[in-house]
Amino acid sequence: MDLSRGVLVTGADGQLGAALCEEFADVPVVALTRADWDVTMPPPAGLPDVDLVLHAAAWTDVDGAEASPQDAAAVNVGGTQHARELGAPLVLFSTDYVFDGSRREPYVESDGPNPLSAYGRTKLQAEAVAGDDAWIVRTSWLYGWTGTNFVRTMLRLGAERDEVAVVDDQRGSPTYTGHLVAAVRQLLDLPRGIWHLSGGGDCTWAELAAAVFEEAGLDCHVRRVTTAELGRPAPRPAYAVLGSERPDAPNLPPWRQGLQECLERICR
Ligand SMILES: NC(=O)c1ccc[n+]([C@@H]2O[C@H](COP(=O)([O-])OP(=O)(O)OC[C@H]3O[C@@H](n4cnc5c(N)ncnc54)[C@H](OP(=O)(O)O)[C@@H]3O)[C@@H](O)[C@H]2O)c1
């Protein structure tokens, strides 16, 4: 895809937005934070014409969306509508949380969604608003070297405590932003529509926490608990592993390799 006029990144200071800005640094990047454009509002006047919109701005507080579903929808659904109004081809980022987690084998693109949470519902509505003409990238358990994410939280807690309680009955595919953005770049030469892009393999959150401590050399015990014990406001799918049925789908490296690369970047 010709990107000579550049790309526009929304949510540019989020963990995915930051990685996208790096990945596309060889072309002009219009990097917009919430301060530059609150996506609940129509696009500001004077934005340059670009070849592609990478729409990474989103309400990502899964539990908070249960209490404020309309605010979450304003960002996730309204924001996608506004991103579409820019008129350039669109990449929308969506989530494994559009599925209800009742399966025990990876969800593929044609599987029927049935979100359990308000967050999942807003993301599914956002997919509909983005339309068939967008690349809709469903990913899962995303983490990178900036922002608030599970890996960075575990690094902090693992340094402070002897033990952390982590749920061991939700299974998914941790996805490193650095690997996701490289796959998104490949996607631009492939047809639009829904694509599942996640780190290879799967684990539980407790297994991921244990891997973080092992890779980082932290002496912290993982106490394995159930989702019910933790009692978070938003229901989450027990099984949220994404697979692809599309023959050309870019393959991301195994999740443990993503973790190693992320930790190298954080610790260097
Ligand atoms: N994190 C995950 O595990 C995960 C999993 C699957 C899919 N996804 C999807 O991946 C995408 C990127 O998520 P992420 O993990 O990078 O999230 P993130 O780090 O929370 O970044 C989201 C960004 O959106 C911005 N934002 C929020 N409300 C906004 C508004 N009204 N106007 C403009 N910007 C706004 C945030 O700005 P502030 O910092 O100022 O709030 C932040 O920069 C999202 O579509 C998300 O649904 C994430």
Side-chain angles (χ1 to χ4, degrees):
M1 183 179 188
D2 177 16
L3 297 176
S4 51
R5 288 187 304 169
V7 301
L8 185 148
V9 179
T10 67
D13 56 357
Q15 58 172 350
L16 178 59
L20 286 166
C21 290
E22 270 199 22
E23 175 64 29
F24 287 84
D26 58 318
V27 300
V29 176
V30 181
L32 301 181
T33 66
R34 186 205 291 252
D36 302 316
W37 176 23
D38 177 340
V39 299
T40 63
M41 309 296 288
L47 291 177
D49 283 339
V50 291
D51 294 309
L52 183 70
V53 174
L54 296 157
H55 183 43
W59 177 297
T60 56
D61 176 358
V62 177
D63 289 321
E66 293 299 309
S68 308
Q70 285 169 340
D71 294 336
V75 181
N76 291 349
V77 187
T80 301
Q81 176 61 42
H82 291 141
R84 215 187 136 161
E85 286 167 15
L86 292 169
L90 179 72
V91 179
L92 171 72
F93 294 92
S94 189
T95 169
D96 51 331
Y97 284 11
V98 298
F99 295 112
D100 63 16
S102 57
R103 285 183 67 137
R104 286 299 170 267
E105 56 190 67
Y107 284 96
V108 296
E109 288 87 350
S110 62
D111 283 326
N114 181 30
L116 301 174
S117 63
Y119 167 77
R121 287 189 287 277
T122 64
K123 297 300 289 187
L124 186 59
Q125 286 174 281
E127 291 185 5
V129 164
D132 297 338
D133 202 26
W135 288 274
I136 294 171
V137 175
R138 289 189 185 138
T139 190
S140 59
W141 294 25
L142 196 60
Y143 63 90
W145 59 91
T146 61
T148 305
N149 60 57
F150 183 84
V151 169
R152 281 166 53 90
T153 300
M154 286 303 125
L155 283 175
R156 179 174 51 79
L157 294 179
E160 291 169 3
R161 301 184 187 176
D162 298 331
E163 183 179 270
V164 291
V166 187
V167 295
D168 197 32
D169 57 359
Q170 292 172 33
R171 183 160 286 278
S173 300
T175 305
Y176 173 44
T177 52
H179 289 165
L180 178 63
V181 296
V184 167
R185 189 97 192 222
Q186 291 177 49
L187 215 55
L188 302 180
D189 294 319
L190 293 167
R192 302 182 195 186
I194 298 175
W195 293 85
H196 285 184
L197 297 181
S198 279
D202 57 76
C203 63
T204 67
W205 289 113
E207 288 165 356
L208 178 56
V212 171
F213 298 152
E214 196 180 311
E215 296 288 348
L218 292 168
D219 186 16
C220 183
H221 174 68
V222 178
R223 186 163 58 84
R224 294 170 183 242
V225 298
T226 64
T227 301
E229 277 174 84
L230 217 58
R232 304 273 292 271
R236 289 162 168 80
Y239 182 89
V241 181
L242 299 179
S244 183
E245 64 197 345
R246 302 187 69 155
D248 297 335
N251 274 321
L252 274 67
W255 67 263
R256 184 104 184 192
Q257 183 183 329
L259 176 61
Q260 289 160 351
E261 288 183 31
C262 186
L263 293 179
E264 262 169 41
R265 171 114 193 210
I266 290 172
C267 300
R268 79 185 179 202

